[in-house]
Amino acid sequence: MRNFAKELEKNGHQVIYFKINDECNTGSFIENLKELIEKHQPQKITIQQPDEYRLDKEVASWSQNLKTPVNTVSSEHFYTSRKYLSDFFKGKKTYLMERFYRALRVEKNVLMHEGKPEGGSWNYDQNNRKKWKGTPSIPELQIQHKDFTGICTEIRKAKLQHFGKVDAANYQWPVSRAECLDLLAYFIEYLLPHFGDFQDALHQQEHFLFHSRLSFALNTKMLSPKEVVGAVEEAYKKDNLRYPLNAVEGFIRQILGWREFVRGIYWATIPEYKSLNALNNTNALPQFYWDAKTDMACVRSALQNSLENAYAHHIQRLMVLGNLALLLGCNPDEVDAWYLGVYIDAIEWVELPNTRGMSQFADGGLLATKPYVSSANYIHKMSNHCVNCTYNYKAKDGEKPCPFNVLYWNFLDKHANEFRRNPRMTMIYKNLDKMEFNSKADMLNKAQEYIREFTAER
Ligand code: FAD
Ligand code: SF4
């Protein structure tokens, strides 16, 4: 924000910017606005639509009682309007991302060839499930690390609550448009060629793998989704041998598909969505989400990434940390608050549907057709975590069985009424039914032991 203010001034704009500890900063957006209006007596006010429901309501009710006319304009930052998704799915009980994404590909003419999807398929996901075993290598990001000790001191002085580790002398996220463009260029040059193949991989030593790290630049509007998608499509058009379609389509689907889709869900369902808890989960989020002190190797790695870098890639968020919270029956309010607090890219419009909906199934299946839960099998298949773990990824009983194993079957058993008739889960329930009575009982007891151990109130 400080860099942006400077850039605007350099381009001849008049800017009033409130630093966090400025005496004139009341700490309330609306109060600050009131004082500005009194001081400057504007003839009219133009506001960019807020991305967050709470602020949107606050601005709307404030502007109603104001004598000065207020004009709210779209940020023009997304492909679709706030209402696009609710109009698109009018009358439907579930919202399918794939339908929405295909329609947008056609409408926006992205990766299309003579009215058909480029390459003949809409989706190349079946190619995108490789485990990364050290090759191809991942060139280090050449972004300038900045010293933000001064700003950190200001934040501490303002007594804002925080958790995680701060390496203020080595800040690694882009803080200007120029740095964001460098990050985009680095992604396209070195990572995009392999983005598809290793999109779902996890690795003990590599926290970022082939992920772009562009969400922060996108969500703070330093980069527009259209320019990111445009640059990726352009790279493919210039050299489709270097940039295979499974990588290019896989990446574009994240932005044109998932990002627009979750934003549409947010505006279609807020404020009710914020309190949904379809599975009635009430347990506390484990203490180790705040300090990474756990023997579970995959969870520790994802938590260290989160607490040290304010980042975790999608599979760490969904299939490790979210998976565990759901299997433990954690209260979605706590899960939401944690996700909103920990990640550099977390803003409610994108955090809430991803966490409460996709990851915690608290919306009862509006966003995902089945819960994203798995046993150690999935994590072992996609990573090198299990071989160095205290727990036994192969075991469901005996010495230190992997918590994901026993909790997974416990979850399915507990929620059989909700999921047994789900056609995508029939096979899983058949396997549960085949389990021998005594070993199933032992496993469910072990699951309760883990739930008590991990979720004990702090
Ligand atoms: P890449 O893997 O390189 O993907 C490219 C871009 O696609 C991302 O930068 C992002 O803008 C977009 N994208 C991918 N998946 C999603 C998605 N599911 N929803 C929206 N955009 C997506 N993303 C956020 O931006 N903010 C959040 O607060 C957030 N919370 C999440 C919580 C949970 C439980 C889960 C499962 C996902 C969450 N995501 C969130 C989505 C996704 O995990 C992040 O966008 C991604 O990990 C950011 O890293 P990246 O830029 O390296 O992504
Ligand atoms: Fe994670 Fe279980 Fe594998 Fe350990 S054994 S790394 S807890 S999946």
Side-chain angles (χ1 to χ4, degrees):
M1 285 195 285
R2 293 178 187 198
N3 280 346
F4 185 44
K6 275 190 211 143
E7 253 175 62
L8 289 173
E9 276 172 346
K10 215 167 76 193
N11 290 331
H13 293 278
Q14 291 181 39
V15 179
I16 301 169
Y17 175 75
F18 290 83
K19 286 194 180 147
I20 194 162
N21 294 321
D22 280 351
E23 250 173 51
C24 57
N25 188 353
T26 63
S28 150
F29 180 58
I30 298 296
E31 288 307 314
N32 286 349
L33 276 180
K34 278 185 193 160
E35 290 191 8
L36 283 177
I37 291 168
E38 216 160 275
K39 192 163 165 202
H40 298 280
Q41 301 288 321
Q43 284 166 1
K44 73 168 193 187
I45 297 168
T46 302
I47 288 193
Q48 185 177 288
Q49 262 183 349
D51 286 331
E52 190 196 13
Y53 175 79
R54 174 195 60 85
L55 192 57
D56 197 51
K57 284 276 152 237
E58 218 174 298
V59 168
S61 79
W62 160 78
S63 58
Q64 259 175 12
N65 306 320
L66 208 67
K67 286 192 201 97
T68 325
V70 178
N71 179 24
T72 311
V73 296
S74 160
S75 69
E76 296 180 5
H77 185 73
F78 296 91
Y79 275 97
T80 53
S81 72
R82 282 181 182 175
K83 265 184 86 257
Y84 184 98
L85 177 133
S86 44
D87 291 344
F88 185 84
F89 288 114
K90 208 171 203 139
K92 297 276 183 299
K93 276 201 183 127
T94 49
Y95 299 167
L96 279 182
M97 198 292 281
E98 195 63 31
R99 263 196 64 208
F100 175 86
Y101 165 63
R102 289 181 189 184
L104 276 186
R105 285 264 300 272
V106 176
E107 189 184 312
K108 308 293 172 191
N109 195 23
V110 174
L111 275 189
M112 296 298 294
H113 181 72
E114 295 175 355
K116 300 245 160 38
E118 182 73 30
S121 281
W122 292 102
N123 185 319
Y124 297 88
D125 243 5
Q126 71 280 9
N127 302 336
N128 292 358
R129 297 195 182 116
K130 289 194 185 135
K131 183 170 177 165
W132 186 71
K133 296 178 183 164
T135 53
S137 60
I138 306 170
E140 209 179 311
L141 171 60
Q142 299 297 332
I143 196 165
Q144 190 199 343
H145 284 217
K146 290 138 291 215
D147 187 345
F148 276 176
T149 319
I151 290 194
C152 276
T153 312
E154 283 184 53
I155 291 173
R156 285 211 178 85
K157 223 163 125 190
K159 297 200 167 59
L160 293 187
Q161 279 195 322
H162 65 275
F163 64 105
K165 282 192 192 148
V166 184
D167 186 2
N170 236 334
Y171 186 83
Q172 59 176 310
W173 293 96
V175 290
S176 66
R177 187 162 154 74
E179 284 184 7
C180 293
L181 289 169
D182 286 348
L183 182 61
L184 175 61
Y186 159 83
F187 169 69
I188 292 181
E189 179 66 23
Y190 299 111
L191 308 181
L192 176 62
H194 310 291
F195 177 87
D197 288 353
F198 304 106
Q199 199 176 333
D200 285 1
L202 294 150
H203 198 271
Q204 191 81 26
Q205 284 77 36
E206 282 293 338
H207 281 322
F208 302 106
L209 288 162
F210 296 90
H211 294 278
S212 68
R213 285 175 253 183
L214 287 170
S215 51
F216 173 64
L218 282 162
N219 297 354
T220 50
K221 302 191 171 87
M222 288 191 280
L223 287 184
S224 99
K226 288 174 200 161
E227 83 185 314
V228 174
V229 167
V232 167
E233 195 177 7
E234 193 59 32
Y236 169 77
K237 281 183 185 158
K238 278 195 186 139
D239 190 350
N240 63 9
L241 291 177
R242 181 164 161 72
Y243 299 108
L245 195 50
N246 71 309
V248 169
E249 187 283 317
F251 183 78
I252 287 180
R253 178 151 25 95
Q254 305 309 312
I255 295 184
L256 182 64
W258 281 110
R259 190 168 187 272
E260 293 293 322
F261 181 69
V262 298
R263 177 170 178 266
I265 299 256
Y266 178 76
W267 286 110
T269 59
I270 195 82
E272 290 77 14
Y273 205 84
K274 232 181 142 159
S275 53
L276 297 180
N277 187 359
L279 300 178
N280 292 317
N281 285 330
T282 53
N283 286 334
L285 197 62
Q287 169 61 32
F288 51 73
Y289 276 70
W290 278 266
D291 56 24
K293 287 186 186 152
T294 167
D295 288 337
M296 281 182 271
C298 57
V299 176
R300 189 172 60 239
S301 172
L303 285 170
Q304 282 166 345
N305 198 11
S306 308
L307 296 166
E308 288 167 19
N309 300 318
Y311 178 88
H313 60 71
H314 192 70
I315 298 299
Q316 289 182 312
R317 295 187 205 201
L318 186 66
M319 297 313 291
V320 179
L321 302 177
N323 186 8
L324 183 65
L326 178 55
L327 294 180
L328 289 171
C330 295
N331 187 330
D333 289 347
E334 284 203 27
V335 185
D336 259 339
W338 186 85
Y339 274 90
L340 197 57
V342 79
Y343 293 118
I344 186 106
D345 56 26
I347 305 179
E348 192 179 79
W349 68 263
V350 54
E351 175 279 326
L352 187 73
N354 269 304
T355 305
R356 197 168 275 259
M358 189 189 304
S359 144
Q360 298 302 296
F361 207 79
D363 64 3
L366 179 73
L367 199 146
T369 48
K370 77 179 185 60
Y372 280 97
V373 284
S374 78
S375 64
N377 203 15
Y378 177 86
I379 295 174
H380 177 58
K381 202 169 87 193
M382 299 310 297
S383 79
N384 63 346
H385 289 305
C386 299
V387 285
N388 296 312
C389 186
T390 311
Y391 293 99
N392 182 353
Y393 70 91
K394 290 182 190 152
K396 291 202 271 295
D397 52 22
E399 260 306 283
K400 293 259 177 195
C402 169
F404 280 100
N405 290 343
V406 294
L407 292 168
Y408 174 71
W409 293 109
N410 176 68
F411 175 89
L412 294 170
D413 183 67
K414 181 174 167 197
H415 294 295
N417 282 344
E418 285 98 335
F419 301 125
R420 186 178 280 282
R421 276 178 294 281
N422 183 324
R424 295 189 63 200
M425 297 176 79
T426 316
M427 276 306 289
I428 305 171
Y429 274 99
K430 277 192 181 148
N431 290 339
L432 182 67
D433 294 341
K434 273 192 239 155
M435 265 182 211
E436 205 236 314
F437 181 81
N438 283 343
S439 61
K440 184 172 155 189
D442 285 351
M443 199 177 62
L444 298 185
N445 282 337
K446 188 69 197 169
Q448 291 313 315
E449 230 178 78
Y450 282 140
I451 291 175
R452 276 195 299 275
E453 180 188 336
F454 296 155
T455 69
E457 286 287 349
R458 291 174 295 277

